[in-house]
Amino acid sequence: MSTDRLLRTEALSWMSDVDNVTGGQSQDLLLQPAWDYLLQNHYDLLRSPLFPVALSVTTYFFLVGGYTVLDLLAPTWPCINRFRLHPDRPITWPNIWTTLGVTIYNHLLYIFPASVAQWLWMPPTPLPHEAPTLLSFFLGILGCMVVFDFQYYLWHLIHHRVPWLYRTFHAVHHQYNQTFSLVTQYQSGWELFSVGFWATVDPILLQCHCLTTWGFMVFNVYVSTEDHCGYDFPWSMHNLVPFGLWGGAPKHDAHHQRPGTNFAPFFSHLDWLAGTHTVPNPSSHAAAGESISIHV
């Protein structure tokens, strides 16, 4: 074989190897380095059955802590208070201690035992060598959000329409008709279990990569906390998603004031189709606070 032919053969072989890595999946290169780093440096942590729980709980308390700091600063910082849905009704320490107490109680009584059981009975998480493509990563998160939104909409609607279910399980969440971040998990153990169950099962049903699953869990916690935060920031999801397709903090705050509306946790299409959609008038936030008690 001549030297030129040998060089061409080696070049074709190299290009074939590159195609095997990137062909049709060039987006792998965007997430693969990060995934390789995680596998090389945190393999045992990532494969632990406790990791998803620790990730969700850590994300929640980090976000709640940030919003709570804003709540405490808002009364004396106009640059923060002007973004609050009810700027004339500050969040007080009794509100914080009450909601935080129920949150910690639920974590100790429900989440901690469930986490121990998961650690004892579930096998380690299998970690594939390949990262998901960027497209499949975002489509997987979007798919999980759509499925979760449908599940919780039905759960939420039924628990409002059936008096016994409302009194027994969901009424505790509506003790606060002005939302702030710690109200997110101010709920009964049954509701907490339901939300956690769907957030865990939906990525399995959609056969998501574990990195996509963790991304969905973090985003789910973020959006849930933002829905209850009581702020209307320019960078909030409902201001970024066009055509009013996203619910967001104003619409969920309206649900806590008018419980027969806005049942969907994230999107708006199900409320539109079912006739349960309502949009609060931004100019009426302060006025609404005059006639609405923060705690019933």
Side-chain angles (χ1 to χ4, degrees):
M1 181 181 294
S2 65
T3 302
D4 290 341
R5 185 174 180 182
L6 178 61
L7 290 175
R8 285 197 300 271
T9 302
E10 291 179 351
L12 290 173
S13 175
W14 176 81
M15 292 176 64
S16 176
D17 290 339
V18 172
D19 287 342
N20 288 336
V21 175
T22 64
Q25 299 183 22
S26 60
Q27 297 174 65
D28 277 344
L29 297 179
L30 296 176
L31 294 178
Q32 193 65 48
W35 183 240
D36 290 339
Y37 172 83
L38 292 174
L39 291 181
Q40 293 169 9
N41 295 276
H42 305 287
Y43 183 81
D44 291 333
L45 172 65
L46 297 178
R47 69 196 300 262
S48 170
L50 287 178
F51 176 72
V53 180
L55 179 65
S56 297
V57 171
T58 302
T59 302
Y60 176 72
F61 280 105
F62 174 79
L63 293 171
V64 164
Y67 280 121
T68 301
V69 170
L70 294 181
D71 290 336
L72 294 174
L73 293 176
T76 56
W77 288 40
C79 60
I80 298 175
N81 201 51
R82 68 190 182 95
F83 292 111
R84 295 192 65 242
L85 298 178
H86 303 284
D88 57 336
R89 300 195 62 82
I91 308 303
T92 64
W93 276 108
N95 302 140
I96 293 173
W97 290 126
T98 301
T99 50
L100 181 61
V102 171
T103 300
I104 294 176
Y105 173 84
N106 284 337
H107 277 74
L108 292 176
L109 189 65
Y110 300 109
I111 293 181
F112 179 72
S115 301
V116 173
Q118 184 169 314
W119 175 62
L120 292 174
W121 295 331
M122 289 191 64
T125 303
L127 303 177
H129 294 293
E130 298 80 14
T133 66
L134 194 63
L135 179 61
S136 67
F137 177 79
F138 286 112
L139 286 180
I141 292 177
L142 177 61
C144 289
M145 295 295 291
V146 171
V147 173
F148 184 95
D149 193 72
F150 175 74
Q151 293 164 331
Y152 191 79
Y153 178 86
L154 293 180
W155 186 100
H156 201 181
L157 180 66
I158 291 172
H159 280 69
H160 273 269
R161 297 295 170 83
V162 179
W164 180 82
L165 291 176
Y166 181 83
R167 290 194 307 268
T168 306
F169 300 114
H170 192 53
V172 61
H173 186 65
H174 278 272
Q175 289 181 10
Y176 284 86
N177 48 22
Q178 175 185 328
T179 55
F180 58 100
S181 63
L182 277 166
V183 176
T184 308
Q185 291 191 7
Y186 186 79
Q187 53 192 212
S188 67
W190 165 245
E191 185 168 1
L192 189 66
F193 171 80
S194 301
V195 172
F197 176 78
W198 292 323
T200 301
V201 170
D202 289 346
I204 298 175
L205 295 177
L206 297 182
Q207 299 182 355
C208 293
H209 190 283
C210 50
L211 187 61
T212 306
T213 300
W214 301 331
F216 162 65
M217 288 181 172
V218 170
F219 188 63
N220 191 5
V221 172
Y222 167 76
V223 172
S224 299
T225 308
E226 186 188 72
D227 277 357
H228 290 85
C229 72
Y231 288 90
D232 187 2
F233 292 118
W235 56 84
S236 298
M237 286 292 298
H238 63 278
N239 289 322
L240 300 179
V241 178
F243 311 119
L245 294 175
W246 197 263
K251 291 181 183 178
H252 195 72
D253 185 76
H255 167 73
H256 276 253
Q257 298 173 33
R258 299 189 289 277
T261 63
N262 294 348
F263 294 107
F266 306 135
F267 301 100
S268 297
H269 63 285
L270 293 174
D271 282 304
W272 287 343
L273 293 173
T276 55
H277 181 262
T278 186
V279 179
N281 184 357
S283 63
S284 67
H285 288 324
E290 296 175 0
S291 60
I292 295 176
S293 171
I294 187 173
H295 189 246
V296 177

